[in-house]
Amino acid sequence: MSELVNFEKRGAIGVITVDNPPVNALSPGVPEGLVDCVAQGNTDPEVKAMVLRGAGRSFIAGADIKFLGQKKTEAGLTYRTIIDDSEKPIVAAIHGYALGGGLETAMACQYRVATKDAKVGLPEVLIGILPGGAGTQRLPRLIGPKAAMEMIVTGRHVPAPEAKGLGILDDLAADIDDLLDTAIAYAERIADVRPLPRIRDDDSKLAEAKEDPGMFDAMRKKIARRARNQNAPYHCIKCVEAAVELPFDEGVERERELFEELVNDDEAKSLRFAFFAERQANKIPDIDKSVKGRNIDTAAVVGAGTMGGGIAMCFADAGIPVKLLEMNQEALDKGLAKIRANYETSVKRGSLAADAVDTRMGLITPALEYDQIGDADIVIEAVFEEMPVKKDVFGKLDAVMKDGAILASNTSTLDIDEIASATKRPADVLGTHFFSPANVMKLLEIVRGSGTAKDVVATCTALSRRIAKVGAVCGNCDGFLANRSRAPFQTEMNILVEEGAKPQQIDKVMYDFGYPMGPFAVGDLAGLDIGHAVRQRRKKESPNEHRDLPIPDRLFEMGRYGQKTGAGWFKYEKGDRTPYPDPVVDEVIAEVGRELGLQQRDDFTEEEILHRLLFASVNEAAKILEEGIAYRASDVDVMWLNGFGFPRYRGGLMFWADGIGVKNIHAQMVEWQERYGDRWKPAKMIEELAASGKGFLDD
Ligand code: NAD
């Protein structure tokens, strides 16, 4: 018998426990163990019914992604049918997560109970595949095709109370301590029910689709924008259609065919890569598990502006009490009102319960004096982006914060070591760089100063998970990893416009590539005044490296700051965020072209636009890797995916670059270097990789 699954008797109930730490994934050995244990229960005359549960922190959390795309063992193919065919009923007892293969196993059981805080779901679409263990055939029969399709196409985790309402669960247990007793009591109650309820034999819920045959096309339409360039969401819909149209066994076969089409395609490979890259980003080469993080029970934020307010929300959303400090009552009131308005918008959208607004606001304590925040475990500064202001704030924090507190800055560009020098405890100082809007964007760029203590970095990587962010660590340099690697993209898009390309043309190429918005529309959203201020500062600090960008500067001088003034790179109608091309901008472009004596072109291909923007950043990322500011190429990808909206199904900037081939990128850069000058000089790392035929992500 497999050591990963065990069987014991509690009276007349056989209890099958999957014990495959950490999350009871369905790796080889687990299906074999399940088959043996179900047989044991069925042959033991004392056993009347069985309970299937997971040991440790979860039920079966899902398939083991490491083994995806590999051939399944005999038991791997048949264990669900064996559970489904069991002569005696089996009750799945779920705690933690039952996701993907976990929920598929639970749906092969005849009954399901779960703890109130458990979550179930079929999230395969998020890694570019579909639930390939008959999940797309059982779920529509269990809860109806419409609700099933919504769950499968979004991949969302469904909380247990909602799952019970949908009909996925039969009963709820108060908590993990109560789960086994609840499941055993349930099993005793239904032990003699015959015939056994088998989801595959019950087509009654499928009738709903016959009455509403347009539901599948309606779903395709609904996801068209978000799912562009992708196959998996559409294949998921096809599977649910098959569940409605075909007998169960044929539907399972169709599901398998569609699964095979996806599992090794580029989309699934990219999404799997992104999944592992995010896990890898938490591992810092010189910080191992022996480095224990500090306790974070309370937090403080200095500055209640755009970023500070969003950062305070991240803590409140995670249930961590946070104090919010401002310069004066007016600024504080304004910041708090904005936070409340954000929460109320979420309530209106249906993504937050109405009573949660007061709970979360209750976790945010306003403050006007530094003494009031001294006892926080971590303080994050989000005041104006000016070194003297930052140093002044850190001096004050040094005076009041308790020993062992972490002092973090949300600066986007300023030197962390210089900020730390304003304190007597540089080991406790680091950068925690959130992206705007801070309560929405997933990335937390953790910037390690030259003196930052290891346990401070470890605390912040762990904290990133608690506040629902994807943390990635890098070293200290102007712009750090994320913004520094993106800066050449931004310069290049401006150069393209100087050469005659239209903002709407460039935006379309990048939108079609998979970005949620084009880069010029993003510029209008962030505000052209912000970019202008950064350029002014850089020009002052390093005039030799600075390149003027005359077009956005002129738009700024015309008062075109973007959406907030109704015009920027595009024009906007009142109350409408749609960017409309503006002839005034065309005129500015033509005018600057004349002044610079440029022969403007109108023959840009999509490939030229895409490659010039992204290769420029690939080159900078290579330099960042050479300098050791980034630990690994996949960290660049994690930052681009979670900070800049790079399409996840393309893996990330460096994964995409490897797909083109560093050799090809190098050859193109050399050609452009001759044509456009030294901004295209390939980084040393690119020269070396091109010579050796390797990629950024090769070992
Ligand atoms: P903001 O102007 O919206 O907010 C700054 C707030 O800090 C203001 O409310 C101001 O009253 C307050 N403040 C200034 N000095 C203070 C002091 N001494 N004590 C207490 N409060 C003080 O600016 P923001 O956009 O929120 O940016 C804040 C920081 O975050 C900057 O370092 C910025 O570079 C960084 N950042 C901004 C973005 C973005 O997109 N806006 C993104 C990432 C990082």
Side-chain angles (χ1 to χ4, degrees), residues 302-309 311 325-328 331 370 381-386 389-390 392-393 396 409-414 433-436 483 526 530:
V302 184
T306 313
M307 295 305 288
I311 297 168
L325 176 82
E326 254 296 347
M327 291 196 286
N328 55 52
Y370 278 82
E381 163 280 312
V383 303
F384 303 135
E385 185 77 341
E386 287 163 31
V389 184
K390 302 271 189 206
D392 177 55
V393 169
K396 288 180 178 144
S409 172
N410 186 51
T411 177
S412 325
T413 48
L414 301 176
H433 183 207
F434 290 73
F435 287 69
S436 183
N483 284 342
I530 308 268

Side-chain angles (χ1 to χ4, degrees), residues 84 220 283 358 612-613 637 651 661 690:
D84 203 348
R220 285 187 189 97
K283 301 194 179 96
D358 284 339
R612 277 181 60 181
L613 296 190
D637 291 339

